[in-house]
Amino acid sequence: MLGKRIIALLVALFTLAAIPTTTVSAVATDLAPGEVLVKPLPGAPAIGLPGDTIEIYPAEGVTIQSLQIISILHGPYDLQILGTENGVIKAKIPDDATPDVYFLVVKSDKGEVTIPNGVWVMKEAPTVLRIAQGSDLHVTSGSKMGLVCGDYFQKSITEILKYCQNPIPLHSYTATDSFMTYYAMVGSNGENIVNIILATGDDVDTNGDRAGYQMLDEAILHATAAGTPFISVKGNHDHPPTYYTEYVGPRYFYEVIGNFIIIGLDSRGEERHPEMEQLEWMEQVLKDHPGKIPIVLVHHPFWYISRYEGGVVENLTAFDDNDWQQIKKLASWDWVGKNGEYEDIARKFLQIVEEYNVKLILSGHIHKDKPVLYIDKNGNEHWFYTLTTTGAPDKTSNPPSQTDINRGYTQPSWYGSQVIYVYSDGKVEFPFVDDLFAENTIISLPIPQKFIVFRQNGEEGTAVKFINELGQSISGPLVLEIPEGAKIDPQATNITYTVLGEREISGTYYMLLNVTVPEGVSQIAVVKETDTKAPEVSIGYLSPSKPKPGQAFKVYISANDNVGIKDMKVEVIVDGKVVAEYPAFSMKPAEVEATYFTEIPGVDAESFTIKVIATDFYGNTGEAEYTYSGTATTTTTTSTASGESTCGPAALVGLVMIPLLLRRRK
């Protein structure tokens, strides 16, 4: 018996090893950006107007040979290197540079790197900073996903089935990329809903996941190459910064944007607050930039008090000893310490907030919305806004599941983001929230909960599926990586589009479009020729390999396509009849060659057949079957190439789940 189990385990492992895991990434190279530069990096750009001088920080021991900026529509422009001061290169943006968010191409003695979001050339200094905040993106090269449907969000199939028959899987990468894509569209569509995207930590789920950081940079590229800049800070999941400083940005830094200054702090790992050295650095930065409107990004929130308890702390000051005794009872243990062991740091931070009139402090970490308004004794308002997770299904569901309630999480949450405006007079506004302190209400915006972008990049084409449940069409720029020579196929596209430009940048071909994504499910396909090839699909194994009747199990599937797989479902067949259907989820949703899996709550039968059906963007299907009898299994695969697009008007052709009641056979 033991020998058979070992053999079964080895077969499963070899099956997984045979599943392709090639990473397709326009920014994934052997040389990481942070091996050449400390700053700018994809999460911390250099910022200036045409003709301004910007600062470039080389990595230790690296000699910079040339600097160039290029976008899909503009450039290339060579940056004039004016000199070096204390190891920092001073470089001039050309006077004739067209305002845009540029890739920075750096040639050095260590090699060449191309950095998305490297240099933001502003048209003019903004008078209002229109912020789109995301947090806790938790991008992973592994599997981290939940299921959504309208307002509903659950972490498991069995839970979501209580509320919804057609849920949508949201991998952390898909959620992050959807967030980036949406705010790039509404940020550069002429309406100026936002003009910058900020992220407040836990950008990647595991600090040692290099492929995860490469995927994050890909999502950053999709926002910034479309014209909306991005800034991020480090979270505890990015700690220690094994790859963070190579792919995202420095531990802590500041950015000047006209009359505003953004300060990014590192609250570190389990320390959960900045060290005193950082706070002294922050204070010096503010002294050196008088008159600027300060905005601070730090992953761990400062306050413990919640909006349900009032959410307002007022008529106190961190400079008064008696007031501080009241304040520290309302502050988070992460900052103060359970026994007050860090209160000198917490008090110093709040004193800086008061003294330099920091108007907005953005955080994440707790995966739920928590606004706190601190009004000091001088009457100055300081907004502390903590955002729910944008990309991780880890905390409270909507509605809270029994598991959530048992863990003490009772306030509903979802995949969210927020829009916040900061004016040049320091006024802070939440333009799309009626009541920040409403009870039992999700106040974050449903992005990406209700606007989801599934991208697929194959050797013979690129395709994107959109799911728009926002109640209106969304218009703006969209960036696609495409194979050389690929063109939009109108027969496989049902969104409105205009091609703005195409360009090859550092070996990758990009297309910039202006699109209108209608309500419902839609798609765009950019291909070399009409796709007539069916997806290739095979069932790897079940886990556990021999599920008992009624026992939950997972199905692992290997699949690939030349352009992209749009949908995949798994049918459970008993006695020749389909008794249930479930969607299968890609563990690497940006890739056309990937492992898919689904969870079956259980089959009340001694024998059954699992049938997998993969459909591409042209309606071609590949199928595989796995018959289980308790003692033996058989597998078969078939494919059908229709050569016809499945596009059509506003029909719901997304991942569909039709659960049926599984009854034990008599």
Side-chain angles (χ1 to χ4, degrees):
M1 180 66 70
L2 180 60
K4 290 182 178 180
R5 291 180 179 175
I6 293 174
I7 291 172
L9 178 60
L10 289 173
V11 170
L13 290 173
F14 281 122
T15 302
L16 263 186
I19 295 174
T21 57
T22 304
T23 299
V24 179
S25 175
V27 293
T29 63
D30 291 335
L31 189 63
E35 295 180 75
V36 175
L37 294 184
V38 173
K39 187 177 179 289
L41 288 177
I47 302 171
L49 299 167
D52 279 357
T53 298
I54 57 175
E55 295 183 339
I56 308 292
Y57 296 77
E60 185 176 357
V62 174
T63 300
I64 304 301
Q65 298 166 342
S66 68
L67 301 166
Q68 186 181 79
I69 56 174
I70 185 172
S71 72
I72 299 173
L73 297 182
H74 304 115
Y77 301 102
D78 292 326
L79 300 184
Q80 181 185 358
I81 296 177
L82 303 176
T84 302
E85 182 179 331
N86 297 324
V88 179
I89 295 174
K90 307 289 185 178
K92 181 183 177 183
I93 300 172
D95 295 323
D96 60 348
T98 303
D100 204 345
V101 182
Y102 286 90
F103 292 83
L104 175 63
V105 181
V106 185
K107 292 183 179 179
S108 74
D109 61 343
K110 195 168 186 176
E112 180 177 323
V113 292
T114 300
I115 302 172
N117 193 42
V119 179
W120 175 21
V121 180
M122 300 183 294
K123 181 178 181 180
E124 57 188 5
T127 56
V128 182
L129 209 57
R130 296 180 171 90
I131 298 165
Q133 183 192 1
S135 192
D136 297 81
L137 310 175
H138 287 274
V139 174
T140 175
S141 63
S143 176
K144 195 177 188 75
M145 64 184 67
L147 295 133
V148 303
C149 181
D151 289 349
Y152 297 123
F153 153 59
Q154 295 291 320
K155 295 181 276 288
S156 73
I157 291 174
T158 52
E159 287 294 328
I160 197 70
L161 287 178
K162 298 175 183 177
Y163 310 102
C164 180
Q165 290 190 330
N166 55 331
I168 303 161
L170 257 184
H171 186 281
S172 63
Y173 170 79
T174 300
T176 298
D177 187 57
S178 301
F179 161 75
M180 298 285 189
T181 300
Y182 174 83
Y183 283 111
M185 290 178 69
V186 302
S188 303
N189 64 0
E191 297 182 11
N192 295 321
I193 292 176
V194 302
N195 54 22
I196 192 168
I197 300 171
L198 304 180
T200 44
D202 282 358
D203 292 346
V204 167
D205 193 52
T206 306
N207 71 302
D209 185 3
R210 178 171 182 165
Y213 281 106
Q214 292 171 338
M215 294 169 69
L216 171 68
D217 280 359
E218 190 80 1
I220 294 172
L221 184 157
H222 293 152
T224 58
T228 301
F230 172 82
I231 295 174
S232 183
V233 293
K234 185 176 150 291
N236 59 293
H237 279 252
D238 303 302
H239 187 84
T242 307
Y243 290 115
Y244 186 88
T245 52
E246 292 189 10
Y247 288 97
V248 187
R251 278 187 55 220
Y252 53 95
F253 59 92
Y254 71 91
E255 302 271 13
V256 175
I257 307 173
N259 197 42
F260 303 91
I261 183 168
I262 294 177
I263 295 178
L265 297 177
D266 176 17
S267 53
R268 303 175 292 166
E270 292 308 308
E271 298 296 331
R272 304 184 179 193
H273 53 265
E275 68 271 33
M276 187 62 76
E277 177 186 349
Q278 272 194 75
L279 299 185
E280 292 170 349
W281 166 87
M282 170 184 171
E283 186 172 30
Q284 188 60 51
V285 167
L286 292 171
K287 285 181 180 178
D288 294 341
H289 296 83
K292 302 293 184 184
I293 304 297
I295 298 167
V296 173
L297 314 181
V298 60
H299 182 61
H300 290 85
F302 182 83
W303 297 101
Y304 176 79
I305 183 176
S306 74
R307 60 188 168 112
Y308 308 109
E309 299 167 317
V312 178
V313 180
E314 57 185 330
N315 198 31
L316 297 170
T317 175
F319 289 97
D320 181 88
D321 290 342
N322 292 327
D323 285 356
W324 175 249
Q325 297 306 310
Q326 297 182 56
I327 290 171
K328 73 177 184 179
K329 295 177 183 178
L330 302 173
S332 168
W333 284 352
D334 291 342
W335 282 77
V336 177
K338 291 185 178 181
N339 300 307
E341 56 266 37
Y342 312 127
E343 67 175 276
D344 58 332
I345 289 177
R347 187 173 185 180
K348 177 67 173 180
F349 177 73
L350 196 58
Q351 287 175 342
I352 294 173
V353 167
E354 290 187 46
E355 183 174 355
Y356 295 92
N357 202 11
V358 178
K359 292 299 184 180
L360 180 64
I361 300 91
L362 299 179
S363 300
H365 184 63
I366 60 175
H367 293 205
K368 62 182 179 182
D369 305 307
K370 185 167 77 170
V372 174
L373 175 59
Y374 175 58
I375 306 173
D376 64 31
K377 275 194 170 176
N378 292 322
N380 294 316
E381 294 186 350
H382 314 277
W383 279 99
F384 290 75
Y385 187 81
T386 302
L387 179 68
T388 184
T389 173
T390 302
D394 285 332
K395 294 292 183 180
T396 317
S397 303
N398 182 35
S401 67
Q402 189 58 52
T403 301
D404 294 327
I405 294 171
N406 292 341
R407 295 171 61 203
Y409 298 112
T410 59
Q411 301 302 331
S413 189
W414 61 11
Y415 291 85
S417 55
Q418 191 57 272
V419 173
I420 307 165
Y421 291 172
V422 183
Y423 293 83
S424 56
D425 62 358
K427 177 186 174 183
V428 175
E429 180 182 37
F430 295 80
F432 301 112
V433 181
D434 293 329
D435 184 357
L436 280 170
F437 303 110
E439 291 191 19
N440 299 313
T441 302
I442 301 175
I443 59 173
S444 54
L445 306 180
I447 306 297
Q449 178 85 16
K450 296 184 180 181
F451 187 87
I452 305 170
V453 181
F454 294 93
R455 296 177 185 259
Q456 291 274 271
N457 296 329
E459 292 183 358
E460 298 180 26
T462 294
V464 184
K465 179 173 77 172
F466 302 91
I467 299 177
N468 177 6
E469 298 179 348
L470 295 175
Q472 62 181 10
S473 61
I474 302 298
S475 299
L478 175 72
V479 171
L480 302 175
E481 295 101 336
I482 63 172
E484 182 180 5
K487 300 298 179 184
I488 296 175
D489 184 352
Q491 299 303 313
T493 298
N494 60 354
I495 66 173
T496 304
Y497 65 88
T498 301
V499 178
L500 301 178
E502 300 178 43
R503 174 168 262 173
E504 180 269 328
I505 301 175
S506 298
T508 300
Y509 290 84
Y510 297 98
M511 178 179 286
L512 179 64
L513 307 98
N514 190 73
V515 302
T516 296
V517 177
E519 295 179 60
V521 179
S522 58
Q523 70 177 50
I524 183 171
V526 187
V527 294
K528 294 182 178 180
E529 58 184 20
T530 300
D531 181 14
T532 59
K533 297 180 181 178
E536 297 177 0
V537 58
S538 62
I539 299 174
Y541 67 100
L542 309 184
S543 178
S545 60
K546 294 183 178 181
K548 298 177 181 179
Q551 179 185 13
F553 62 93
K554 292 183 178 180
V555 181
Y556 288 88
I557 305 153
S558 173
N560 67 80
D561 189 68
N562 58 317
V563 174
I565 294 173
K566 183 178 180 181
D567 300 303
M568 186 180 293
K569 66 179 180 180
V570 173
E571 296 180 343
V572 180
I573 302 170
V574 177
D575 294 336
K577 296 181 180 180
V578 177
V579 297
E581 287 184 3
Y582 302 97
F585 315 142
S586 175
M587 296 174 69
K588 296 183 181 295
E591 301 176 16
V592 294
E593 299 181 68
T595 303
Y596 288 70
F597 82 98
T598 192
E599 183 176 358
I600 307 297
V603 181
D604 289 337
E606 295 290 342
S607 62
F608 56 86
T609 296
I610 298 296
K611 183 178 181 179
V612 176
I613 304 171
T615 306
D616 68 15
F617 284 80
Y618 281 76
N620 307 309
T621 61
E623 300 180 359
E625 290 188 359
Y626 186 107
T627 300
Y628 174 74
S629 65
T631 57
T633 61
T634 59
T635 61
T636 60
T637 60
T638 60
S639 63
T640 302
S642 71
E644 297 178 359
S645 169
T646 57
C647 280
L652 185 62
V653 293
L655 289 167
V656 178
M657 179 181 290
I658 310 175
L660 300 176
L661 182 61
L662 300 180
R663 300 185 182 275
R664 187 176 300 276
R665 292 194 304 168
K666 294 184 180 180

